[in-house]
Amino acid sequence: MFVSLPSRDKAAVRWATPLLFAALWLAFLWSATRPQEAHGNLLMDWGALSDGLDTPLNWANSLRDGSALRLFTALFLHADWAHLLGNLVFLLIFGLPAERTMGPWRFLVLFLLGVTVNYITRNSLGILAPELKESLGITTEQYSWIVGAFQIAYTIFQPLCGWLIDVIGLKIGFMVCAGIWALMCIFHAGAGSWLHLAILRFFMGASEAAATPANAKTIGEWFPKSERPIAAG
């Protein structure tokens, strides 16, 4: 007869999520106590991306003068309490389970890298819009089709991506969609007209639409029923 004995291994201390939580709070309190003009300049200089990162040379210059650091500093600067609170709630809900699964160092590195990529992809098209219009001869109407193609595809393919993830599984399904999304990002470099961009943005939106159903399935598998509404919020 075998008797189950409790393990003597101590549970690993999860410090990355509390560290990020404290850093976000301290950065907000420090920026909020600065004079109004200085606070506004701080948010404009280090709390948001600006143009000038559209060529390798500009990237090299931004790394040299330190302005590329705003890719990371923008994570810790918030304009108001609502913005800060939303990020803190999201961090506490998803940060602790992710850190428990991956470990604090892997979680911290992936979190910072993910936020950096998110800021770049979120702002890249809008930043390049004036240059794209000039170099490719894109009109305002044609640019609206480029933007609309992404939104239409994102809406249509959400249920289709959800069905795919249900059929072939969360890991493989999301990996396939993420792979297609990455290829579409690469192919953007070869676009020669507004129609090419519209097509690429359409397939990019179609593959990125997997994020919402994948998030829902992740919540269903990671959280018990009593905690799913909070996690989904």
Side-chain angles (χ1 to χ4, degrees):
M1 181 177 181
F2 297 94
V3 179
S4 177
L5 297 177
S7 173
R8 294 183 179 181
D9 296 335
K10 294 183 179 180
V13 177
R14 292 190 288 274
W15 53 265
T17 301
L19 176 64
L20 288 171
F21 187 93
L24 291 171
W25 262 112
L26 291 174
F28 178 79
L29 293 175
W30 172 74
S31 63
T33 55
R34 296 173 64 84
Q36 184 175 0
E37 183 177 356
H39 180 247
N41 292 335
L42 177 67
L43 294 178
M44 291 298 298
D45 292 339
W46 298 102
L49 298 183
S50 63
D51 56 1
L53 298 178
D54 53 341
T55 66
L57 179 60
N58 289 336
W59 269 98
N61 292 334
S62 66
L63 291 173
R64 190 178 301 111
D65 62 23
S67 60
L69 288 175
R70 61 169 60 97
L71 292 171
F72 294 98
T73 57
L75 166 64
F76 298 96
L77 294 176
H78 299 79
D80 51 44
W81 287 93
H83 188 195
L84 173 69
L85 183 61
N87 284 345
L88 290 177
V89 171
F90 183 87
L91 177 63
L92 289 179
I93 290 175
F94 293 101
L96 291 174
E99 184 179 352
R100 182 172 60 248
T101 302
M102 296 184 294
W105 286 109
R106 288 179 60 191
F107 165 74
L108 187 61
V109 171
L110 290 176
F111 180 85
L112 294 175
L113 288 178
V115 170
T116 302
V117 172
N118 175 56
Y119 274 119
I120 294 175
T121 57
R122 185 189 301 177
N123 293 274
S124 58
L125 185 63
I127 292 174
L128 291 174
E131 184 174 342
L132 287 174
K133 289 182 178 181
E134 181 179 353
S135 61
L136 299 180
I138 299 175
T139 65
T140 301
E141 181 181 358
Q142 291 169 341
Y143 181 76
S144 67
W145 280 105
I146 295 173
V147 176
F150 178 91
Q151 297 173 343
I152 292 172
Y154 197 97
T155 303
I156 295 175
F157 278 86
Q158 271 199 10
L160 297 178
C161 290
W163 171 82
L164 177 67
I165 290 173
D166 283 336
V167 171
I168 65 177
L170 176 61
K171 292 182 179 180
I172 297 178
F174 194 65
M175 181 180 65
V176 169
C177 293
I180 296 174
W181 180 86
L183 286 175
M184 293 303 105
C185 289
I186 295 173
F187 291 159
H188 272 62
S193 68
W194 75 269
L195 185 58
H196 292 165
L197 277 176
I199 294 174
L200 290 172
R201 296 294 293 180
F202 180 87
F203 285 103
M204 186 178 180
S207 56
E208 191 169 325
T212 299
N215 176 60
K217 194 171 184 66
T218 301
I219 291 174
E221 293 181 354
W222 281 29
F223 292 88
K225 291 183 178 179
S226 59
E227 298 179 3
R228 289 175 191 170
I230 300 176

